[in-house]
């Protein structure tokens, strides 16, 4: 193992887990009486198990931290990788095991750690669907049917999208890389704001570079703008003066570039005042001319508000609603926008992989050091 690899640094989700020591009946009884027996709520018990014993009392006393960190999920995810039949094919691909573990951890914290600080509290765990998702993993042999957090297909899509943009494969992407996302779907101004770290501070540790965790937050927010976390992510992006209110001047700043793109693509331009009226009718803000995060969270179509401002592809797709997609949404109401995106992208990626193999070559996005297990 390369000690300089950040993926193996202490505290990293993918750092090597400490091999479990044998547990005696006396040790388990002591742990049960001192910790688990104190909680009747399954969420609280799972919280304590994940947190583990305090370092000062390895025999079983509960940890003193009031929160869970990324590394706390490492042992249980390693266990899933080692024992789940739906992930057995990854046994000979340690790099992919690491990336899967990492991606699942980031997805869990994206949805559950609503404070965005990397420290998940018991209250946050209780308000999430994480425990039910973990139970689903236990009951379901096909890991891809566990759409919340654990799906291998979802991981594959996230990682492949990152790999496609990371042209030099240094596990960092810059502004020019991100501009290529989704066939140049986003405007320069939106990408500028992402790299100014307005929506969320990067954790890559390299100035002007987005790391894999940063990208996971970006792609989850970009591909399903209907979630409360995604709405907050993009609200911060558009809120240029950080006063928690979006004004017509801020909306105009972003829409101006959209208008230019429409003209370049010979699309019939929609004037800003018309857009402003449509968005105001759609959101019905409590105070006219001032849009708050609360206004957005009350509206089921709020995600389209941001697409109008800086994602031309999705704006046009919404304006020209495909009857097939509408019928699909009605027939599968349990699927989120993210679920539908991940399914379509996985099909596309698998077809490209098969075509690459038929042509006598491997997938273009993999190098010799990270062979695709697809």
């Amino acid at each position: 193992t390369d000690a300089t690899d950040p993926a193996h640094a202490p505290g990293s989700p993918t750092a090597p887990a400490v091999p479990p020591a044998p547990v005696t009946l006396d040790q388990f009884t002591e742990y049960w009486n001192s910790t688990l027996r104190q909680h009747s709520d399954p969420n609280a018990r799972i919280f304590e198990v994940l947190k583990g014993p305090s370092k000062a009392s390895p025999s079983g006393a509960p940890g003193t931290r009031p929160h869970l960190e990324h590394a706390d999920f490492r042992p249980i995810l390693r266990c899933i990788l080692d024992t789940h039949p739906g992930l057995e094919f990854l046994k000979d691909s340690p790099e992919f095991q690491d990336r899967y573990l990492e991606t699942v951890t980031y997805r869990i914290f994206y949805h559950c750690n609503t404070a965005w600080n990397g420290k998940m509290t018991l209250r946050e765990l209780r308000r999430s669907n994480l425990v039910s998702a973990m139970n689903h993993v236990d009951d379901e042999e096909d890991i891809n049917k566990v759409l919340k957090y654990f799906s291998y297909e979802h991981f594959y899509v996230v990682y492949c999208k990152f790999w496609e943009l990371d042209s030099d494969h240094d596990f960092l992407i810059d502004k020019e890389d991100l501009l290529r996302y989704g066939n140049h779907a986003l405007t320069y101004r939106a990408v500028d704001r992402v790299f100014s770290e307005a929506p969320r501070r990067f954790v890559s540790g390299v100035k002007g570079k987005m790391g894999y965790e940063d990208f996971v937050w970006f792609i989850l927010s970009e591909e399903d703008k209907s979630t409360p976390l995604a709405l907050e992510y993009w609200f911060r992006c558009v809120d240029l003066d950080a006063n928690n209110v979006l004004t017509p001047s801020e909306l105009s700043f972003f829409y101006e570039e959209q208008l230019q793109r429409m003209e370049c693509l010979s699309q019939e331009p929609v004037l800003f005042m018309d857009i402003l009226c449509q968005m105001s009718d759609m959101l019905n803000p409590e105070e006219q001319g001032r849009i708050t995060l609360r206004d957005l969270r009350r509206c089921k179509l709020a995600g389209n508000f941001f697409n109008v401002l800086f994602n031309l592809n999705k704006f046009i797709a919404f304006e020209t609603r495909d009857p097939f997609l509408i019928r699909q949404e009605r027939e599968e109401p349990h699927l989120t926008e993210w679920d539908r995106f991940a399914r379509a992208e996985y099909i596309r990626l698998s077809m490209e992989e098969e075509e690459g193999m038929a042509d006598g070559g491997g997938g273009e996005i993999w190098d010799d050091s990270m062979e695709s297990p697809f």
Side-chain angles (χ1 to χ4, degrees):
T1 301
D2 183 1
T4 64
D5 185 350
H8 296 100
S12 165
T14 53
V18 177
V23 178
T24 66
L25 178 60
D26 288 343
Q27 286 175 320
F28 179 78
T29 303
E30 181 185 350
Y31 180 65
W32 173 265
N33 289 328
S34 65
T35 306
L36 299 187
R37 196 174 185 179
Q38 311 303 316
H39 306 283
S40 58
D41 173 22
N43 289 283
R45 285 182 174 177
I46 288 175
F47 184 83
E48 292 297 338
V49 169
L50 288 171
K51 192 169 58 168
S54 65
K55 292 181 179 178
S57 302
S59 61
T64 55
R65 280 188 288 112
H67 60 263
L68 299 174
E69 298 173 351
H70 287 184
D72 293 324
F73 287 84
R74 185 169 64 229
I76 193 168
L77 290 175
R78 288 285 182 203
C79 181
I80 291 172
L81 281 162
D82 289 341
T83 61
H84 198 283
L87 295 168
E88 190 173 359
F89 68 100
L90 281 180
K91 284 191 181 297
D92 296 327
S93 303
E95 297 93 346
F96 266 84
Q97 286 190 343
D98 284 353
R99 298 292 83 80
Y100 172 84
L101 188 156
E102 212 172 4
T103 306
V104 171
T105 303
Y106 297 152
R107 287 187 69 187
I108 287 171
F109 273 79
Y110 173 86
H111 287 285
C112 305
N113 178 215
T114 53
W116 295 21
N117 60 1
K119 299 176 180 179
M120 189 192 307
T121 63
L122 176 57
R123 184 184 181 197
E124 289 175 327
L125 178 66
R126 281 180 171 142
R127 297 177 69 177
S128 75
N129 57 5
L130 178 57
V131 173
S132 64
M134 292 169 75
N135 289 333
H136 193 187
V137 171
D138 278 343
D139 298 335
E140 178 57 65
E141 289 193 2
D142 185 352
I143 197 71
N144 293 316
K145 290 183 179 178
V146 188
L147 299 178
K148 303 299 181 188
Y149 317 117
F150 296 94
S151 165
Y152 172 80
E153 291 181 358
H154 287 196
F155 146 71
Y156 189 82
V157 167
V158 173
Y159 187 64
C160 286
K161 297 295 279 187
F162 181 81
W163 190 266
E164 288 173 349
L165 298 178
D166 182 21
S167 52
D168 59 1
H169 304 318
D170 62 351
F171 234 62
L172 295 166
I173 59 178
D174 60 23
K175 194 182 301 183
E176 293 301 316
D177 293 327
L178 194 65
L179 281 166
R180 293 188 285 111
Y181 180 83
N183 194 23
H184 297 270
L186 297 172
T187 61
Y188 284 89
R189 291 177 182 180
V191 172
D192 269 339
R193 287 289 288 169
V194 170
F195 271 83
S196 72
E197 304 180 29
R200 178 178 180 267
R201 190 175 298 278
F202 289 171
V203 295
S204 66
V206 181
K207 188 173 182 180
K209 299 278 189 174
M210 173 186 277
Y212 185 55
E213 180 180 352
D214 306 312
F215 178 78
V216 172
W217 276 69
F218 163 80
I219 193 173
L220 293 176
S221 300
E222 169 56 22
E223 298 304 339
D224 190 352
K225 295 188 179 79
S226 66
T227 67
L229 268 296
L231 289 175
E232 184 170 355
Y233 185 96
W234 293 116
F235 184 92
R236 293 183 181 188
C237 179
V238 178
D239 186 14
L240 297 173
D241 55 9
N243 68 343
N244 297 317
V245 173
L246 305 184
T247 60
S249 62
E250 289 169 320
L251 306 187
S252 176
F253 172 79
F254 286 94
Y255 188 72
E256 185 178 46
E257 191 177 343
Q258 284 283 68
L259 203 56
Q260 293 169 0
R261 299 177 98 196
M262 288 182 207
E263 292 169 351
C264 290
L265 295 172
S266 300
Q267 294 277 345
E268 184 178 350
V270 184
L271 298 179
F272 176 68
M273 290 310 298
D274 295 333
I275 285 293
L276 191 61
C277 290
Q278 290 177 25
M279 291 195 292
S280 183
D281 290 343
M282 179 176 74
L283 296 174
N284 190 23
E286 293 179 354
E287 184 178 345
Q288 286 299 316
R290 293 170 63 85
I291 297 170
T292 64
L293 188 56
R294 181 179 174 182
D295 294 327
L296 290 167
R297 286 179 171 167
R298 284 191 295 110
C299 177
K300 290 183 178 179
L301 298 175
N304 294 301
F305 167 79
F306 292 112
N307 289 332
V308 167
L309 294 179
F310 48 73
N311 189 318
L312 187 57
N313 297 350
K314 291 187 178 181
F315 177 26
I316 294 172
F318 178 71
E319 290 289 295
T320 58
R321 294 284 278 165
D322 185 339
F324 173 75
L325 293 177
I326 294 174
R327 186 172 72 250
Q328 196 177 53
E329 288 175 12
R330 287 174 180 167
E331 291 174 353
E332 300 174 311
H334 62 288
L335 295 183
T336 65
E337 287 182 35
W338 166 258
D339 295 333
R340 293 190 181 92
F341 163 79
R343 181 172 64 184
E345 277 298 300
Y346 186 78
I347 291 171
R348 179 187 70 82
L349 289 163
S350 62
M351 289 176 65
E352 287 181 1
E353 186 81 11
E354 288 171 4
E355 288 171 5
M357 290 179 177
D359 292 339
E364 291 183 2
I365 61 173
W366 315 109
D367 63 15
D368 295 335
S369 65
M370 189 166 287
E371 182 183 354
S372 168
F374 179 81

